[in-house]
């Protein structure tokens, strides 16, 4: 892995919007260009656009699928986590990144704003310029980076399986009343 990188974990299915993330990253100018983009996750050969856009760019790396046990180290080693999906049911990868203290750049759509709260940067997933600007802002602004790093840990602490079970049980009790 490169020393300093922005991470994406997920598939390359069209709704994941990976092609726009690759395009935004490719548009970055120095000093942001000193960083790399690391893409991990399963690959569906039916959707080659992201790899095609990354061809010839030595700063974009495709790792393929990883074991779950390797993810915390990967999240923890990343400068930031980028997840600009067009839609998500919940958004576990950004939450996992935040639990590792990694600042998140995510879409301002679907469930992601609810998961991220004010602990990350939210962008329009269809706006390549906005994605690139958020990446640049996070890399260039060390105060913002440190602030989001701390807020990520605090925000992730609000989510637990125990809390989920408690809320689910309360919902069942309310429905039964």
């Amino acid at each position: 892995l490169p020393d300093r990188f922005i991470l994406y974990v997920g598939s390359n299915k069209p709704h994941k919007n990976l092609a726009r993330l690759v395009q935004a990253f490719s548009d970055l100018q120095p000093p942001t260009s000193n960083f790399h983009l690391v893409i991990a996750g399963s690959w569906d050969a039916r959707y080659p656009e992201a790899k095609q856009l990354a061809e010839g760019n030595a700063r974009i790396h495709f790792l393929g699928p990883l074991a779950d046990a390797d993810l915390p180290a990967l999240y923890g080693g990343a400068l930031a986590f980028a997840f600009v999906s067009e839609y998500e049911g919940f958004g576990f990868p950004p939450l996992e990144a935040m639990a590792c203290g990694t600042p998140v750049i995510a879409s301002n759509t679907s469930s992601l704003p609810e998961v991220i709260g004010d602990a990350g940067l939210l962008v329009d997933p269809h706006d390549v310029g906005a994605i690139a600007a958020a990446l640049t802002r996070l890399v260039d602004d060390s105060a913002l980076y440190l602030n989001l790093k701390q807020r990520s840990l605090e925000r992730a602490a609000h989510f637990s399986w125990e809390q989920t079970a408690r809320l689910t049980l309360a919902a069942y009790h309310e429905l039964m009343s």
Side-chain angles (χ1 to χ4, degrees), residues 14-25:
H15 74 280
K16 296 293 188 176
N17 206 27
L18 186 54
R20 283 193 185 99
L21 175 60
V22 167
Q23 187 177 358
F25 185 83

Side-chain angles (χ1 to χ4, degrees), residues 2 4-8 17-39 50 53-54 57-62 79-80 82 84 105 127-136 139:
R4 303 187 76 184
F5 61 94
I6 294 166
L7 176 65
Y8 166 84
N17 206 27
L18 186 54
R20 283 193 185 99
L21 175 60
V22 167
Q23 187 177 358
F25 185 83
S26 296
D27 291 346
L28 296 180
Q29 301 300 314
T32 313
S33 62
N34 297 329
F35 297 90
H36 295 248
L37 176 62
V38 172
I39 298 167
L53 289 168
N57 190 331
R59 295 182 306 116
I60 301 176
H61 312 272
F62 292 87
L79 171 69
V84 294
I105 297 165
D127 186 343
V128 172
I131 298 167
L135 293 169
T136 300
V139 169

